């Protein structure tokens, strides 16, 4: 007969290494510990998770900038590809200008992503 232990099986655990700004490290650590403590067995929407980490950020703005950096494009290059002025792209990335549906479609095509994540 197998004995039950209080420890979780290590084969279910994975190690994750993150590089984060020092100012965010403690908040991310607390968040990760809360997930482990909750023993969440169901998935959670990514917007919900991110809002707990960075409640003040504009998700479309962060996704736009992250997608542009991932594709190794400058704002000038993205502007040339989409016809959207560079200044507008900068304002969108900083959350100072909303990303409209038509702009989202143009940006998504250039960034090879779904336009809906930019809305």
């Amino acid at each position: 007969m197998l004995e039950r232990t209080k420890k979780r099986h290590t084969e279910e655990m994975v190690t994750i290494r993150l590089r984060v700004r020092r100012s965010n490290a403690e908040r991310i650590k607390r968040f990760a510990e809360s997930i482990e403590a909750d023993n969440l067995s169901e998935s959670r929407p990514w917007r919900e998770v991110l809002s707990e980490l960075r409640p003040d950020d504009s998700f479309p703005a962060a996704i736009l900038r992250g997608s542009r950096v991932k594709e190794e494009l400058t704002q000038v290059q993205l502007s040339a590809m989409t016809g959207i002025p560079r200044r507008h792209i900068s304002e969108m990335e900083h959350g100072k200008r909303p990303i409209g549906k038509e702009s989202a479609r143009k940006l998504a095509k250039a960034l090879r992503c779904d336009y809906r994540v930019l809305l």
Side-chain angles (χ1 to χ4, degrees):
M1 182 160 109
L2 294 173
E3 287 186 42
R4 297 194 77 169
T5 63
K6 291 182 181 181
K7 283 188 170 183
R8 293 189 182 164
H9 296 287
T10 55
E11 63 268 9
E12 294 177 10
M13 305 293 269
V14 297
T15 300
I16 298 175
R17 293 184 61 189
L18 300 171
R19 289 181 55 111
V20 298
R21 288 193 173 109
R22 187 177 305 276
S23 60
N24 292 326
E26 195 57 38
R27 184 170 36 177
I28 291 170
K29 182 179 175 185
R30 282 193 312 266
F31 178 73
E33 289 169 350
S34 75
I35 290 173
E36 187 62 30
D38 288 344
N39 192 16
L40 297 174
S41 60
E42 58 191 54
S43 63
R44 295 172 65 194
W46 64 270
R47 288 181 193 263
E48 179 184 314
V49 173
L50 287 181
S51 69
E52 291 175 16
L53 290 175
R54 301 205 47 130
D56 300 332
D57 280 356
S58 165
F59 297 123
I63 291 169
L64 173 59
R65 180 155 198 245
S67 296
R68 180 179 59 77
V69 170
K70 181 180 139 219
E71 292 297 322
E72 298 179 350
L73 295 171
T74 65
Q75 290 180 350
V76 172
Q77 291 168 324
L78 184 57
S79 174
M81 293 171 74
T82 61
I84 298 171
R86 190 219 48 89
R87 180 175 47 94
H88 291 190
I89 292 172
S90 175
E91 291 169 354
M92 289 176 201
E93 286 186 0
H94 288 90
K96 296 177 181 177
R97 174 183 287 271
I99 304 173
K101 194 172 190 177
E102 196 56 41
S103 292
R105 287 182 191 273
K106 291 176 185 177
L107 291 164
K109 184 177 180 183
L111 298 171
R112 298 185 290 164
C113 66
D114 187 337
Y115 79 95
R116 293 172 289 192
V117 298
L118 299 172
L119 298 175

